[in-house]
Amino acid sequence: GEDVEQSLFLSVREGDSSVINCTYTDSSSTYLYWYKQEPGAGLQLLTYIFSNMDMKQDQRLTVLLNKKDKHLSLRIADTQTGDSAIYFCAETSSAGGYQKVTFGTGTKLQVIP
Amino acid sequence: SAVISQKPSRDICQRGTSLTIQCQVDSQVTMMFWYRQQPGQSLTLIATANQGSEATYESGFVIDKFPISRPNLTFSTLTVSNMSPEDSSIYLCSVEAGQGIGSGYTFGSGTRLTVV
């Protein structure tokens, strides 16, 4: 089945850039997403990228996709303490005739003031 | 994009009892998804609920344990039946955020369940 992997933890200093990485196995993925989960909250969609793109920028967020290596990254510029959260990458695929979303293991980002 | 109201936000339940979680969406949606997030883990899809048909369950999840209702296009419930401490998790419902999968998925705020 589909598999999405992330490193578990990342610590950065406030003002630095954060790069969160994700690898996936499903070559038929259509969209890939980044979600943010703050403590005690649901998931918030941050950004997404279509599988035929290799980069997408949205304010402080930059998503890079290497489809050949099945590698996705999220770069947060000028990281702030409010960015501390768990970040999940997710990919969609059409399995069994319906869309299915598979989430990564999540990366806990700690921002040090 | 769609807004979901999920309740209860948290509950502490005795083993052997059942809990029903509700999700109300502010717009009509075809599919609603139910996820489980065990402590420190990622999200695992439990089932997909379409209005007017039986829910489709993922491997490892069965209807007797997690019965789902979908009476209309804006509402769904998930029941966690005959609970044990291993069911302690966050349960989340989700719908497509807008038009097409490119708009991503919106999530409810989650139900934090503790079984004692």
Side-chain angles (χ1 to χ4, degrees):
Chain A
E2 303 82 12
D3 197 19
V4 183
E5 298 284 341
Q6 300 175 239
S7 52
L8 291 179
F9 188 76
L10 176 66
S11 180
V12 298
R13 293 208 173 273
E14 188 174 18
D16 289 349
S17 292
S18 308
V19 180
I20 303 170
N21 294 301
C22 172
T23 58
Y24 60 98
T25 58
D26 188 354
S27 58
S28 67
S29 296
T30 50
Y31 284 90
L32 297 115
Y33 305 92
W34 283 103
Y35 284 87
K36 177 183 181 183
Q37 185 179 38
E38 296 182 80
L43 272 74
Q44 173 196 354
L45 177 64
L46 287 178
T47 188
Y48 69 92
I49 189 167
F50 189 48
S51 59
N52 70 351
M53 299 167 63
D54 52 19
M55 187 181 95
K56 181 178 181 182
Q57 187 152 5
D58 184 2
Q59 299 182 337
R60 292 192 296 125
L61 305 179
T62 303
V63 179
L64 295 177
L65 174 61
N66 182 328
K67 195 173 181 183
K68 174 176 168 288
D69 294 339
K70 299 190 185 67
H71 182 266
L72 182 74
S73 68
L74 174 70
R75 179 177 180 270
I76 305 173
D78 186 25
T79 312
Q80 303 297 307
T81 54
D83 295 324
S84 293
I86 300 175
Y87 290 81
F88 292 94
C89 65
E91 57 97 15
T92 60
S93 60
S94 296
Y98 63 95
Q99 294 288 341
K100 180 178 175 181
V101 183
T102 301
F103 285 85
T105 46
T107 299
K108 185 172 184 177
L109 174 63
Q110 178 188 51
V111 182
I112 303 167
Chain B
S1 60
V3 176
I4 302 175
S5 298
Q6 182 174 345
K7 58 182 182 182
S9 58
R10 60 177 61 230
D11 208 342
I12 300 173
C13 300
Q14 296 289 325
R15 70 174 66 203
T17 63
S18 298
L19 176 72
T20 296
I21 302 166
Q22 300 179 5
C23 274
Q24 178 76 51
V25 190
D26 68 345
S27 58
Q28 293 185 335
V29 293
T30 306
M31 292 190 292
M32 293 182 74
F33 306 90
W34 287 98
Y35 288 87
R36 180 176 72 183
Q37 186 180 21
Q38 294 177 298
Q41 304 289 318
S42 184
L43 281 74
T44 301
L45 181 64
I46 297 171
T48 303
N50 287 338
Q51 194 268 334
S53 63
E54 291 252 334
T56 303
Y57 288 83
E58 297 298 306
S59 175
F61 298 96
V62 295
I63 188 171
D64 289 346
K65 176 67 176 176
F66 297 102
I68 288 171
S69 80
R70 185 80 205 275
N72 57 53
L73 290 172
T74 63
F75 187 79
S76 179
T77 68
L78 170 77
T79 299
V80 186
S81 303
N82 187 24
M83 289 184 283
S84 67
E86 291 70 34
D87 295 320
S88 296
S89 291
I90 299 172
Y91 292 85
L92 301 109
C93 61
S94 174
V95 302
E96 288 184 0
Q99 295 295 324
I101 62 172
S103 52
Y105 294 80
T106 298
F107 285 81
S109 52
T111 297
R112 185 179 293 271
L113 170 62
T114 303
V115 184
V116 298

